[in-house]
Amino acid sequence: MAIFTGSGVAIVTPFLENGEVDYESFRGLIEFHIANGTDSIIVCGTTGESSTLTHEEHIECIRFCAEVVAKRVPVIAGTGSNCTETAIYLSQEAEKAGVDGLLIVTPYYNKATQKGLINHYTAIANSVSLPIILYNVPSRTGVNILPETAVYLAKNVDNIVGIKEATGNISQVAKLMSLADGCLDLYSGNDDQVVPILSLGGKGVISVIANIAPKQTHDLVAKYLEGDVKGSMELQLKSIELCDALFCEVNPIPVKKAVELMGLCGGKLRMPLSEMEPANAERLEKAMRDFGLEF
């Protein structure tokens, strides 16, 4: 059984002006998503600025999210690292916090070989009992999980059950699903490719746009899975301008601006991320209004 089906939000981590985690706003964000149909919350992913959290903050954000959600929807914790031992530590702490699954990105900067990826993921999976979703995003990490490698892991490691595919390469995803023959749950890692991924057997999306359009993102997936492919496609095409605006600067700079514009939380970023350029912020605001978001 899949960890979740539908729209999983890669939730932002709100910060106070002094740079500390804003837990009051974080609680509000979580409640906003549950009230608006988000099917799963992915905490401390790339969009959550996990790379600038201390280990203590990382674990506390995961614990806080799991506590506030209180099993109303699945919580999936981002616990990847380019250090295998660190990933094991974060994964074990997330399991203690009561999350429902883990999202583990490929080791960045090290650029592990496919053998190295197998060893890395196997070691992490063997250290916990939680189900694991692999996260393949070569544009950020410099390494690509080949279809053969992902399928090998799924078939040889019991708790590796899914993959978030953000390569943008639909041909690779098609090959992956052909080889997998049902052994891996597939999630889109790109908001502009949800329908294509669903058409190849995907279970849903781990989404950035869901931070500001949770109901619409939920509906996009639900319509497809209910057989309303045309309705799903229309929502996908309607979202393209907004998707483009949300990625006109490196994620999560634009989405942090977007949640601030909507009054959901402050838009403060941690360095080395910087404030959005004014022209891009205007573009984002227009795309949000054109999409029908009210703020």
Side-chain angles (χ1 to χ4, degrees), residues 79-134:
T79 55
S81 172
N82 64 339
C83 170
T84 305
E85 289 303 317
T86 299
I88 288 172
Y89 167 68
L90 292 174
S91 299
Q92 290 175 334
E93 291 299 314
E95 184 166 37
K96 293 175 189 175
V99 301
D100 301 283
L102 304 174
L103 177 69
I104 301 181
V105 71
T106 51
Y108 38 87
Y109 189 76
N110 310 54
K111 297 182 72 173
T113 64
Q114 299 301 301
K115 179 181 177 181
L117 291 175
I118 289 170
N119 293 341
H120 174 77
Y121 279 113
T122 301
I124 298 166
N126 286 343
S127 76
V128 293
S129 60
L130 290 170
I132 288 171
I133 299 173
L134 311 174

Side-chain angles (χ1 to χ4, degrees), residues 2-288:
I3 303 174
F4 81 96
T5 300
S7 170
V9 63
I11 198 167
V12 299
T13 302
F15 298 117
L16 298 166
E17 282 304 310
N18 65 6
E20 295 178 359
V21 177
D22 181 357
Y23 286 104
E24 182 179 351
S25 292
F26 199 10
R27 182 186 299 275
L29 283 174
I30 292 166
E31 295 298 342
F32 167 74
H33 282 290
I34 291 174
N36 283 278
T38 293
D39 299 291
S40 178
I41 294 177
I42 292 80
V43 60
C44 292
T46 305
T47 308
E49 295 177 73
S50 57
S51 58
T52 61
L53 297 174
T54 67
H55 290 169
E56 292 77 17
E57 288 174 325
H58 196 137
I59 294 162
E60 180 57 21
C61 283
I62 291 169
R63 185 205 63 76
F64 180 83
C65 185
E67 182 179 277
V68 172
V69 172
K71 298 297 181 182
R72 288 176 288 173
V73 297
V75 173
I76 299 169
T79 55
S81 172
N82 64 339
C83 170
T84 305
E85 289 303 317
T86 299
I88 288 172
Y89 167 68
L90 292 174
S91 299
Q92 290 175 334
E93 291 299 314
E95 184 166 37
K96 293 175 189 175
V99 301
D100 301 283
L102 304 174
L103 177 69
I104 301 181
V105 71
T106 51
Y108 38 87
Y109 189 76
N110 310 54
K111 297 182 72 173
T113 64
Q114 299 301 301
K115 179 181 177 181
L117 291 175
I118 289 170
N119 293 341
H120 174 77
Y121 279 113
T122 301
I124 298 166
N126 286 343
S127 76
V128 293
S129 60
L130 290 170
I132 288 171
I133 299 173
L134 311 174
Y135 181 15
N136 194 24
V137 57
S139 63
R140 281 187 177 267
T141 64
V143 62
N144 182 20
I145 307 176
L146 295 179
E148 295 83 356
T149 302
V151 171
Y152 176 90
L153 285 164
K155 289 184 175 179
N156 288 276
V157 185
D158 288 344
N159 55 330
I160 291 180
V161 300
I163 186 165
K164 176 185 176 184
E165 257 294 339
T167 60
N169 185 341
I170 295 298
S171 295
Q172 177 171 312
V173 177
K175 182 176 181 181
L176 167 66
M177 294 305 281
S178 173
L179 294 174
D181 194 26
C183 73
L184 266 177
D185 293 328
L186 172 67
Y187 299 94
S188 177
N190 293 326
D191 280 302
D192 60 353
Q193 294 185 338
V194 181
V195 168
I197 292 291
L198 292 172
S199 75
L200 292 170
K203 299 287 186 180
V205 59
I206 295 176
S207 170
V208 174
I209 195 175
N211 277 282
I212 55 172
K215 183 180 186 304
Q216 296 91 329
T217 311
H218 165 85
D219 289 350
L220 191 161
V221 180
K223 283 179 181 293
Y224 190 98
L225 296 178
E226 291 164 2
D228 182 7
V229 175
K230 184 174 185 292
S232 178
M233 179 196 69
E234 289 171 349
L235 286 174
Q236 176 78 93
L237 295 179
K238 181 182 177 183
S239 74
I240 296 301
E241 181 189 357
L242 182 55
C243 289
D244 288 346
L246 282 170
F247 290 91
C248 68
E249 291 188 26
V250 69
N251 180 54
I253 292 174
V255 75
K256 266 297 187 67
K257 173 61 70 176
V259 292
E260 181 180 35
L261 287 169
M262 291 185 68
L264 295 171
C265 67
K268 185 172 179 58
L269 299 148
R270 280 189 173 176
M271 290 194 292
L273 298 183
S274 57
E275 183 72 15
M276 196 173 189
E277 294 296 328
N280 287 332
E282 288 180 16
R283 175 186 173 185
L284 173 63
E285 186 169 346
K286 180 181 183 301
M288 291 169 67

